[in-house]
């Protein structure tokens, strides 16, 4: 049987919030009997977008992480609910029965992703429904996917084997939960843009007051004394090493250009680091 | 009375007489038949009891129709005192007009020559004329909207951020989505570039705020009935000083309209022409009929009012500066961008985004249509550079080099780039020699031969803080690669053009491209935001073409629409003009001056405005319509102070929401949204000063803007409010031409090219039409390619006007030389010695920047306030809508949604400010309370907070106390960029910031 999953490409998300807002449009003020009660006008974020800046001025990048309900295959909210108030449909979508879930605030606490919200007025827990009420009526995609202008959000509707093959070939990842493995059905591309570190800097040279960007210098990232990665400085003499896990070791930089070199110690990588400019001695043309 | 048929009449006249009598009798039968068959018509007849008469002048023949209790009877002859009478000069004319009632040119000509006239009570005349119009169709109004299920209908409407489907269930909007095209809709285009093929998705995109619309339509801040300030008595104490302070009480529509109509008459009687001032925002709810340049303009012309001249606020530096180097006056000095999507994808090697963030500003009305095109460019390996003090969303999405100059210093970097090109031979000498004039002067200035300051990259580093080597590297790449330059998200916009150095910056943008050979393959203006290969030969009007305004002075009506949609001219008799940025001075000092926004010619901007105009009254009554200047106009506390002046005897505000300036009115008239009334309009088609604006869109989408739901509460459409007032002024028939909004929509439909491709009924039903992409040979040519190749102008625009060509028609540019002018001939003619705007672009330090040492010591932070990303100026902010919940728009702290200011990490640390701290931004002009976002997206010393707050919420006396709503323009200077202009320098704004102690104490 085919099942639904979300695919979210972090590199393509520009924080336009169309997903967040279309969700509000669909669910605020509208009850969808059998699926969900209306979402309060303010407060809940069924699609919750976080921002991550990496590096320091002037060499930075910024990424956004949209987080809906993960529609986990091993969903803690299902176990936490009484009277099967939360259930998984055969198509993979996790739904909360608004009637049965009345008063069960504990369901929200069970979610390791913070994706379930408490509606004080209706005394009910609520979350992303994958717009199941629309898919069941023939819509091809949920509202958030329909309005995404960059292709950052999409869905898959595949047999499990086909999904597994695609996840492997596209190197998609799920968001690790802090408490337990839950087998989320939301797959991320380019997650490193959000959850890994960069080391960025510039290479320059100069004499007598005139400075130049050094284009095409060999820049080596050394980890614990050994070459870990290597790249060439770009048109502006800039370089950026990406995908480095936090606290993954002690780093240093080495730059070589036309026989001259420079070196910089970075030390333990606690967060993304823009190291500024590595100056190498002037080389006569 | 007997018909005076006698032997002197020709056979033709006798036949006409007979036919006229028959037609008048037949009309009675038609009215009765429709009453029997059509419930809506039956209801209409219940609305009024009156006697209407149609007759021949001289009373030779007539017939009266007596409407009573929903029934109609009729008698021949001429009634003594009908409530309304339609009078023809002869039966022949009557017959001709009655048989061609859809021939508006004939009808209008007959009205202008008084071959037909209307007498009697105005509201009866309007009603009777609208009723007669309904006789033209025999069936009920055609069905509209597409059924979704038994309870739900899908309608269509349009917005600043794209066309939409509107799902309505039981009279309530449940959902608003983008428009997805079906197989029958017009086909899309394909561009083949570098071995790849690119076709846009078969749907429209929408801007974020469009998806918040439902929450705005049903907002608790909607004005649902007319209101009067409680301490305002038109016949007694007016208490003007309490505007913005005292509360409101509900009044009836009759009472509200009576007060406003009486005040219009009173100020005209007591003060004379000019005493009424009308002002609106630059934008309005979408549609050609209800737009401010349509219904409002027609009404304001009809009553005679001082015209508030809008400064070209999105263009500033382009209008006052760039125009003098390349013309393009009709586009306020910005560029045309035809064919540039295809040219850029095929040829360009680099795009320089300079003060350009189309992912945030969507050009204008462009939604996310350009996004996919920029993604294509990225996939082709086209390099990208982003010059902006803020690491904007376009840079964040696309990557590339970010260069962050100190705000308000852009021209020093431009000059340094030119310096490198000159020194290193990196420009097109042949092009410069043949197609430009005055280069030597500019070159000598740049090299330092005029002022002993060579404009080197090192020199600019002192201004911009950008390392010299980075500018040198940029200049070398730019000078050796085919490069597109996008100054502004829409080429010819950009925050850099709205600051003290903005005019000089925009001028240099043109000069830099002149050095690189503007128009050569891959060398042009833009960033793929404009220039899609859609059909530019298919005609549908944009909103600036004036709709039903009847205005030939301040709209584009005279170009195409006046011929296509003949209408009674309205033509304001009051020639007094008030520069918009000087409204407060016009009220408080009753004196001001400025220069006009007149795009007809380059010299249009030289004609100085003085206020009051000779023989005119200063403004005494303010008819404010839509929008809120607090969030958009500089030093906006001035507006609050002006409102509280006794010089302003009466203020009426026609608004949808209770916000901003509405809270300073004496009487508030509640208008409905465009989802509650009829309109018609094409997405992103503004016409006029942004000719062919729709080429930002991947498809041309022309929409019937369905009346999706009934107006909420007692709110009424703008057209209806103006008509209600016009009737009280005896101008209802004149204002409406006896037509309803839907009939005007149909009249506009008929004036466009739509009837050649779709029937009115089919268009009304489906609600939109997608203009098919043209065959490749019919795509518009690339802008300036003709110029670069020494040919005649071949892009599809009528401008410059024929007289503005120096050589032959279509040969050369609008400039005096017909060439790109490094040294401007128009400025040499107008004010060659103006130190603020010399004939060549030079470095002139900002009057509110780091050179201003005393002020800079006191207020050491440059605040930039770009156009907002999640609202359209004030239009989609506040209103208790869901946009407020966007994390990057406002922040909810202790139950209040605060506007956001972005502060550099180091600046924040020094001031003990952390994320979501409440902070006080202040300078000598005012104070604004914001929530802080700490970021590395800005250089130290620079803060960013967009304009556009709809909420003005002074915590004490209005105009004198801190604003908690987030109107950043409370802080910006009201000074013109240069004296000889009417311009805003909102990005020249020095401030200080600190933790807001009162907020912390709370």
């Amino acid at each position: 049987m085919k099942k639904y999953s979300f695919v979210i490409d972090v590199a393509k998300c520009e924080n336009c919030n169309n997903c967040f807002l279309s969700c509000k449009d669909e669910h605020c003020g509208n009850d969808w009997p059998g699926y969900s009660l209306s979402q309060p006008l303010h407060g809940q974020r069924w699609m919750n977008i976080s921002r991550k800046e990496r590096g320091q001025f002037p060499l930075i990048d910024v990424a956004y992480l949209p987080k809906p309900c993960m529609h986990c295959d091993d969903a803690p909210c299902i176990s936490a609910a009484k009277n099967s108030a939360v259930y998984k449909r055969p198509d993979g979508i996790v739904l909360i029965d608004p009637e049965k879930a009345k008063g069960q605030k504990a369901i929200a606490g069970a979610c390791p992703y913070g994706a379930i919200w408490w509606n004080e007025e209706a005394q009910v827990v609520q979350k992303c429904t994958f717009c199941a009420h629309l898919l069941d009526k023939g819509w091809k995609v949920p509202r958030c996917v329909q309005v995404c202008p960059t292709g950052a959000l999409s869905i898959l509707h595949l047999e499990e084997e086909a999904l597994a093959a695609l996840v492997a070939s596209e190197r998609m990842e799920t968001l690790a939960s802090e408490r337990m493995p839950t087998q989320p059905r939301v797959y991320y591309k380019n997650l490193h843009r959000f959850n890994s570190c960069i080391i960025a800097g510039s290479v320059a040279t100069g004499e007598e007051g005139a400075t130049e960007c050094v284009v095409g210098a060999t820049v080596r990232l050394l980890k614990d004394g050994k070459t870990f990665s290597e790249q060439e400085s770009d048109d502006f003499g800039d370089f950026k090493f990406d995908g480095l896990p936090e606290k993954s070791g002690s780093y240093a930089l080495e730059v070589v250009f036309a026989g001259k070199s420079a070196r910089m110690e970075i030390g333990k990588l606690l967060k993304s680091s823009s190291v500024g400019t590595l100056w190498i001695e002037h080389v006569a043309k | 009375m007997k018909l005076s048929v006698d032997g002197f009449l020709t056979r033709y006249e006798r036949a006409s007489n007979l036919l006229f009598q028959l037609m008048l009798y037949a009309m009675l039968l038609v009215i009765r038949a429709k009453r029997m068959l059509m419930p809506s018509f039956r209801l209409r007849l219940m609305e009024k009891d009156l006697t209407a008469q149609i007759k021949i002048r001289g009373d030779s023949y007539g017939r009266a129709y007596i409407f009573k209790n929903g029934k109609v009877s009729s008698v021949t002859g001429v009634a003594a005192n009908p409530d309304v009478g339609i009078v023809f000069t002869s039966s022949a004319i009557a017959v001709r007009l009655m048989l061609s009632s859809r021939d508006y040119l004939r009808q209008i000509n007959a009205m202008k020559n008084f071959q037909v006239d209307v007498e009697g009570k105005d509201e009866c005349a309007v009603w009777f004329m609208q009723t007669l119009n309904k006789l033209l169709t025999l069936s009920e109004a055609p069905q509209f909207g597409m059924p979704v299920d038994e309870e739900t209908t899908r309608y269509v409407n349009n917005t600043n951020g794209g066309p939409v489907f509107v799902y309505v269930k039981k009279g309530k909007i449940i959902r608003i989505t983008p428009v997805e095209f079906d197989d029958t809709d017009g086909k899309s285009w394909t561009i083949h570039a570098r071995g790849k093929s690119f076709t846009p998705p078969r749907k429209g995109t929408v801007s974020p705020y469009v998806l918040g619309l439902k929450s705005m339509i049903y907002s608790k801040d909607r004005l649902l009935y007319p209101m009067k300030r409680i301490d305002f008595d038109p016949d007694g104490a007016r208490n003007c000083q309490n505007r913005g302070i005292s509360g409101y009480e509900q009044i009836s529509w009759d009472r509200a309209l009576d007060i406003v109509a009486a005040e219009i008459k009173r100020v005209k009687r007591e003060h004379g022409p000019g005493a009424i001032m009308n002002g609106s925002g630059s934008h309005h709810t979408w549609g050609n009929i209800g737009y401010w340049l349509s219904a409002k303009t027609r009404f304001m012309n009809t009553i005679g009012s001082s015209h508030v001249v809008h400064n070209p606020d999105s263009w500033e530096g382009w209008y006052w500066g760039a125009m003098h180097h390349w013309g393009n006056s009709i586009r306020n000095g910005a560029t045309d961008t035809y064919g540039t999507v295809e040219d850029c994808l095929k040829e360009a090697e680099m795009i320089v985004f300079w003060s350009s963030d189309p992912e945030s500003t969507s050009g204008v009305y462009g939604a996310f249509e350009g996004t996919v095109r920029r993604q294509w460019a990225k996939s082709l390996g086209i390099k990208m550079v982003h010059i902006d003090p803020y690491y904007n969303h376009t840079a964040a999405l696309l990557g590339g080099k970010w260069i962050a100059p100190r705000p308000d210093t852009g021209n020093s970097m431009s000059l340094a780039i030119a310096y490198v090109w000159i020194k290193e031979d990196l420009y097109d000498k042949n092009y410069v020699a043949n197609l430009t004039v005055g280069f030597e002067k500019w070159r000598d200035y740049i090299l330092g031969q005029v002022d002993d300051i060579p404009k080197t990259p090192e020199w600019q580093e002192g201004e911009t803080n950008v390392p010299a080597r980075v500018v040198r590297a940029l200049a070398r790449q730019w000078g050796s690669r085919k490069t597109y330059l996008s100054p502004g998200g829409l080429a010819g916009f950009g925050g850099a053009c709205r600051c003290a150095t903005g005019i000089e910056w925009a001028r240099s943008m043109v000069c830099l491209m002149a050095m690189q050979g503007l128009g050569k393959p891959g060398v042009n203006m833009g960033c793929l935001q404009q220039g899609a290969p859609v059909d530019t030969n298919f005609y549908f009007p944009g909103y600036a073409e004036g709709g039903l305004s009847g205005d030939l002075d301040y709209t584009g009506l005279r170009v195409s629409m006046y011929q296509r949609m003949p209408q009674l001219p309205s033509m304001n008799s009051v020639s007094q003009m008030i520069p918009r940025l000087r409204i407060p001075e016009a009220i408080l000092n009753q004196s001001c001056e400025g220069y006009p926004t007149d795009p007809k010619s380059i010299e249009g901007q030289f004609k100085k405005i003085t206020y009051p105009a000779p023989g005119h009254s200063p403004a005494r009554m303010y008819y404010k319509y839509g929008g809120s200047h607090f969030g958009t106009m500089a030093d906006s506390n001035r507006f609050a102070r002006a409102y509280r002046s006794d010089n302003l005897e009466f203020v009426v505000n026609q608004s949808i929401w209770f916000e901003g300036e509405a809270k300073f009115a004496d009487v508030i008239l509640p208008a409905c949204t465009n989802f509650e009334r009829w309109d018609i309009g094409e997405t992103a088609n503004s016409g006029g000063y942004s000719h062919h604006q729709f080429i930002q869109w991947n498809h041309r989408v022309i929409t019937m803007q369905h009346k999706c739901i009934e107006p909420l509460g007692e709110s009424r459409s703008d057209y209806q409010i103006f008509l209600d007032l016009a009737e009280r002024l005896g101008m209802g028939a004149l204002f409406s031409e006896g037509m309803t909004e839907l009939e005007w929509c149909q009249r506009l439909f008929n004036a466009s090219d739509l009837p050649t491709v779709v029937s009115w009924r089919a268009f009304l039903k489906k609600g939109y039409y997608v203009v098919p992409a043209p065959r490749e040979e019919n795509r518009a040519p690339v802008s300036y390619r003709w110029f670069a190749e020494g040919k005649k102008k071949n892009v599809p625009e009528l401008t410059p006007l024929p007289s503005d060509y120096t050589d032959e028609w279509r040969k050369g540019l609008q400039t005096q030389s017909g060439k790109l002018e490094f040294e401007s001939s128009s400025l040499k003619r107008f004010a060659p010695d103006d130190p603020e705007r010399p004939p060549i672009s030079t470095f002139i330090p900002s009057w509110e920047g780091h050179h201003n040492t005393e002020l800079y010591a006191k207020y050491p932070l440059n605040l930039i306030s770009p156009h907002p990303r999640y609202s359209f100026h004030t239009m989609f902010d506040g209103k208790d809508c869901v946009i407020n919940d966007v994390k990057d728009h406002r922040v909810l702290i202790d139950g209040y949604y605060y506007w956001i200011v972005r502060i550099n990490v180091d600046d924040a640390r020094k001031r003990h400010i952390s994320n979501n701290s409440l902070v006080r931004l202040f300078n000598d002009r005012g104070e604004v309370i914001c929530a802080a976002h700490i970021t590395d997206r800005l250089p130290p010393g620079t803060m960013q907070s967009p304009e556009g707050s709809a909420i003005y919420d002074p915590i004490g006396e209005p105009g004198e106390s801190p604003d908690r709503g987030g109107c950043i323009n409370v802080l910006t200077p009201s000074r013109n960029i240069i004296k000889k202009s009417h311009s805003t320098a909102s990005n020249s704004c020095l401030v200080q910031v600190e933790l807001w102690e009162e907020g912390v104490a709370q």
Side-chain angles (χ1 to χ4, degrees), chain B residues 249-308:
Chain B
E249 62 192 5
Q250 181 174 356
I251 55 174
S252 69
W253 265 111
D254 276 341
R255 172 98 171 104
L257 295 166
D258 285 344
I259 294 175
V260 177
E263 284 295 303
I264 289 171
K265 291 176 184 170
R266 183 188 65 78
V267 296
K268 286 175 82 167
R269 189 170 58 243
E270 289 183 11
H271 303 293
I276 302 167
M277 167 173 68
N278 88 84
S280 65
S282 301
H283 306 271
H284 195 58
T285 48
W286 202 259
N288 284 4
I289 298 302
Y291 212 72
W292 69 272
L293 283 156
S294 176
K296 186 215 77 169
T297 296
R298 188 181 182 104
F299 177 76
M300 294 303 167
N301 283 356
T302 307
I303 64 171
S305 67
S306 291
H307 180 71
V308 171

Side-chain angles (χ1 to χ4, degrees), chain B residues 897-948:
Chain B
Y897 283 98
Y898 288 90
W899 199 250
I900 294 168
V901 62
R902 295 173 181 85
I903 307 177
N904 169 274
V905 175
D906 297 334
D907 295 329
R909 190 181 301 125
K910 283 181 209 157
R911 293 166 176 80
H912 310 291
I913 293 166
S914 47
N915 254 328
N916 294 340
S917 291
L918 291 179
V919 295
R920 186 175 79 99
L921 281 68
F922 62 98
N923 58 19
D924 290 342
R925 291 179 284 266
E927 306 168 50
V928 183
I929 313 301
C930 289
H933 271 190
I934 313 307
T935 185
D936 272 293
R937 301 176 83 150
L938 290 160
T942 302
M943 296 200 294
Q944 189 260 25
S945 184
E947 56 90 35

Side-chain angles (χ1 to χ4, degrees), chain B residues 23 46 55 120 159 161 290 315 338 412 461 494 515 679 801 809 831 985 987:
Chain B
M23 286 175 74
M46 302 286 284
K55 69 171 189 178
T159 75
W315 293 265
Y338 297 104
S412 60
E461 185 169 339
M515 288 180 76
D679 216 317
L801 293 173
W809 186 52
N987 290 316

Side-chain angles (χ1 to χ4, degrees), chain B residues 641-688:
Chain B
R641 295 194 287 269
Y643 267 118
R644 301 174 65 207
S645 161
D646 285 337
N647 289 345
L648 205 51
E649 296 167 4
F650 181 63
V651 179
V652 53
N653 194 309
Q654 184 164 318
S655 179
I656 301 170
W657 293 279
F658 190 50
E659 63 182 13
E661 285 180 83
K663 296 186 171 183
F664 287 76
D666 301 325
V667 170
I668 300 175
L669 304 177
C672 66
T673 70
N674 55 319
F675 293 81
E676 299 151 68
R677 59 174 176 79
W678 287 103
D679 216 317
I680 183 171
E682 176 176 2
T683 300
N685 190 348
S686 30

Side-chain angles (χ1 to χ4, degrees), chain A residues 2 49 61 65 120 123 145 148 152 166 170 179 183 192 199 212 225-226 228 231 234 237 240 244 256 267:
Chain A
K2 286 185 178 175
I49 309 169
D61 65 18
L65 184 73
E120 183 66 34
Q123 290 288 302
V145 173
C148 178
L166 195 68
E170 299 270 317
R179 290 184 236 156
Q183 300 189 55
H192 70 274
I199 292 174
E212 299 287 353
K226 291 179 199 149
F228 178 73
Q231 58 180 250
D234 69 11
K240 178 163 92 176
L244 309 170
V256 182

Side-chain angles (χ1 to χ4, degrees), chain B residues 585-605:
Chain B
E585 289 74 23
I587 295 168
L588 290 167
N589 310 339
Q590 302 196 328
S591 159
C592 65
E593 58 183 46
Y595 288 82
T597 305
D598 177 359
K600 196 169 83 176
S601 66
I602 296 175
E603 289 71 25
Q605 61 176 263

